[in-house]
Amino acid sequence: MNLPPFKLERFFAKYEFSAEFLLCSSDCEAMSIADLLALETDAAQKFQQVWLGYTESQGSPTLRTEISKIYETIQPDDILVHAGAEEAIFLFMHAALKENDHLIVHTPHYQSLSAVAKAMGCFISPWRAREENGWALDLDELRHLMRSTTKAIVINTPHNPTGYLMSRSDFEAVNKFAQENNLLLFSDEVYRESEYDPATRLPAACDMGEHAVSLGVTSKTYGLAGLRIGWIATKNKKIYEGMASLKDYTTICNSAPSEYLAEVAMRNRQKLIARNLGIIKNNLEVVDELFTRHPDLFDWVRPSAGSMGFPKLLKGDIEDFCDDLVRKAGVLLLPGTMYDDSRNHFRIGLGRKNLTQAVERLEKHVTKQK
Ligand SMILES: Cc1ncc(COP(=O)(O)O)c(C=O)c1O
């Protein structure tokens, strides 16, 4: 297996701990262990008692019970906990696919959603989000992408990097298409529960039938990336067992302290959602105003959910722009080229508390260049 460098992660490795302002993070503002434990009266004391032996490979029953409450029909035994969403993506691809299988992937996308399968010798067809349609996907295109060897469709909604939220009718149509054609649907839902209007929240794909696997994580909506706790939820026992058996070769089981902390987080997830959506909504206003003041320089489709957007730079080259910005102003944006986007977009993160200062720096920098 020959995995290429993960462009986005390598880019972050270069700047994440040196740039003064991260204006392109996908996760929401994190918190300390002390602040998380303060959400429950006895949590700090219980944390001291956490046993540091091996844990149950599929995830502790109490954590899986809390996670299952996110879903309508999912039981604790339908949840398989992983070291972040990343491990779950890796294991899903290995459990579901073999060489020469064909995969249809919502594009642009977080690189591992196609790279793992590609490295296994699978064929990938990108299913492209259309900026001219507010980053929507075209269902007719999906029908045309289908081959006799197609095994699975991969979607990501709310979407990284555009913040696009699929309509309910499209989501239902994708699920129906997968079911009718006997395909697996891998639904990356790591930004779910961060819809700006809760009425637009989609059902989880795993609640729609055995064809689907939903991916979740504590990192994004809940702002707890350092826990490295992710999961899949599925009623598909074949995929579940396949992934569980592969996990014996990756992490065997999860970190016991992280599982306890994730359980506290999931029990209090409504509080975390409210906190993080508050940050995102304030930041959206700041960013909206910035783009309104500079229509000659930026164009963007406002996101409907999640902690990022994918604006377009209208003048100059996006890689040069980002490079200059981080070197001279200490503000990090992510060029769209990290997603193989060649149309001058960049990712802007909306989940961090210091966004206003970062935007001030950015604006000063671009005004100087004019
Ligand atoms: C769409 C998507 N899926 C999966 C992941 C991986 O999440 P984690 O880093 O928490 O494992 C990310 C991280 O950015 C993501 O944006």
Side-chain angles (χ1 to χ4, degrees):
M1 194 179 179
N2 196 4
L3 278 165
F6 200 129
K7 287 190 195 172
L8 178 152
E9 300 295 352
R10 288 300 94 214
F11 181 85
F12 269 107
K14 199 163 149 199
Y15 296 111
E16 189 171 5
F17 297 98
S18 58
E20 199 177 339
F21 290 101
L22 299 181
L23 189 52
C24 55
S25 304
S26 60
D27 51 344
C28 287
E29 184 85 19
M31 58 170 59
S32 66
I33 291 179
D35 286 346
L36 177 63
L37 291 174
L39 293 173
E40 289 179 355
T41 43
D42 53 354
Q45 197 207 342
K46 285 189 177 159
F47 186 49
Q48 299 293 321
Q49 310 304 322
V50 169
W51 189 252
L52 293 175
Y54 280 107
T55 60
E56 282 190 40
S57 184
Q58 68 271 42
S60 80
T62 45
L63 173 58
R64 285 184 287 118
T65 298
E66 286 309 320
I67 294 172
S68 68
K69 291 177 187 166
I70 297 174
Y71 307 102
E72 294 288 324
T73 59
I74 289 294
Q75 302 300 313
D77 282 350
D78 302 327
I79 306 285
L80 183 61
V81 183
H82 293 84
E86 188 72 314
E87 186 192 19
I89 294 171
F90 194 86
L91 296 191
F92 168 81
M93 299 298 168
H94 281 85
L97 304 171
K98 57 180 187 337
E99 199 178 351
N100 294 325
D101 282 345
H102 176 242
L103 192 67
I104 298 170
V105 186
H106 185 170
T107 298
H109 55 256
Y110 186 67
Q111 189 172 329
S112 50
L113 293 174
S114 66
V116 176
K118 203 167 175 186
M120 291 167 63
C122 298
F123 296 95
I124 313 293
S125 291
W127 184 19
R128 289 195 189 282
R130 301 289 170 197
E131 188 177 17
E132 60 278 20
N133 297 334
W135 294 116
L137 293 161
D138 181 340
L139 290 164
D140 281 339
E141 217 171 294
L142 174 63
R143 288 179 196 105
H144 285 114
L145 292 173
M146 171 85 186
R147 298 182 193 168
S148 59
T149 51
T150 307
K151 273 285 161 57
I153 305 169
V154 176
I155 55 170
N156 169 217
T157 180
H159 184 228
N160 170 1
T162 64
Y164 168 72
L165 178 66
M166 201 179 272
S167 70
R168 185 179 267 256
S169 57
D170 279 4
F171 188 70
E172 283 170 357
V174 175
N175 275 276
K176 194 163 170 247
F177 182 84
Q179 280 170 318
E180 284 174 356
N181 291 284
N182 215 8
L183 306 177
L184 288 165
L185 178 67
F186 188 72
S187 181
D188 183 329
E189 299 169 3
V190 299
Y191 299 94
R192 191 160 176 267
E193 300 204 318
S194 67
E195 301 78 9
Y196 307 155
D197 173 2
T200 59
R201 182 167 306 148
L202 294 171
C206 58
D207 280 321
M208 298 182 75
E210 279 182 27
H211 65 289
V213 176
S214 290
L215 178 68
V217 80
T218 57
S219 311
K220 310 297 183 184
T221 303
Y222 315 110
L224 300 167
L227 291 181
R228 307 311 302 133
I229 291 286
W231 59 88
I232 54 110
T234 186
K235 291 182 201 160
N236 187 316
K237 283 299 158 203
K238 192 165 166 230
I239 291 293
Y240 186 104
E241 295 305 336
M243 291 178 72
S245 137
L246 287 168
K247 197 179 164 203
D248 292 338
Y249 285 94
T250 51
T251 54
I252 300 177
C253 68
N254 310 299
S255 147
S258 281
E259 284 210 337
Y260 178 75
L261 295 169
E263 188 185 319
V264 174
M266 288 299 103
R267 218 171 6 251
N268 293 279
R269 73 182 212 282
Q270 298 306 341
K271 287 183 197 153
L272 300 177
I273 293 169
R275 166 195 185 263
N276 295 337
L277 264 180
I279 296 172
I280 291 173
K281 285 183 177 174
N282 279 339
N283 287 343
L284 253 180
E285 279 182 31
V286 175
V287 168
D288 270 341
E289 285 164 14
L290 170 79
F291 293 148
T292 307
R293 285 194 296 274
H294 299 278
D296 55 324
L297 203 53
F298 304 113
D299 186 25
W300 90 317
V301 177
R302 198 176 197 267
S304 315
S307 39
M308 71 190 93
F310 205 46
K312 186 171 186 162
L313 178 74
L314 299 174
K315 282 181 194 160
D317 171 78
I318 192 57
E319 285 199 354
D320 293 346
F321 177 81
C322 294
D323 185 56
D324 205 43
L325 181 69
V326 72
R327 277 190 301 104
K328 295 186 182 151
V331 176
L332 189 67
L333 287 175
L334 182 72
T337 43
M338 297 300 132
Y339 291 85
D340 291 334
D341 167 84
S342 56
R343 298 180 54 202
N344 241 28
H345 294 96
F346 60 93
R347 186 172 96 180
I348 188 160
L350 303 167
R352 297 297 174 90
K353 278 186 178 164
N354 63 0
L355 176 135
T356 304
Q357 294 97 297
V359 165
E360 275 167 19
R361 282 274 191 98
L362 164 76
E363 188 158 31
K364 222 170 169 183
H365 176 77
V366 296
T367 312
K368 249 196 250 165
Q369 313 292 309
K370 275 188 177 174

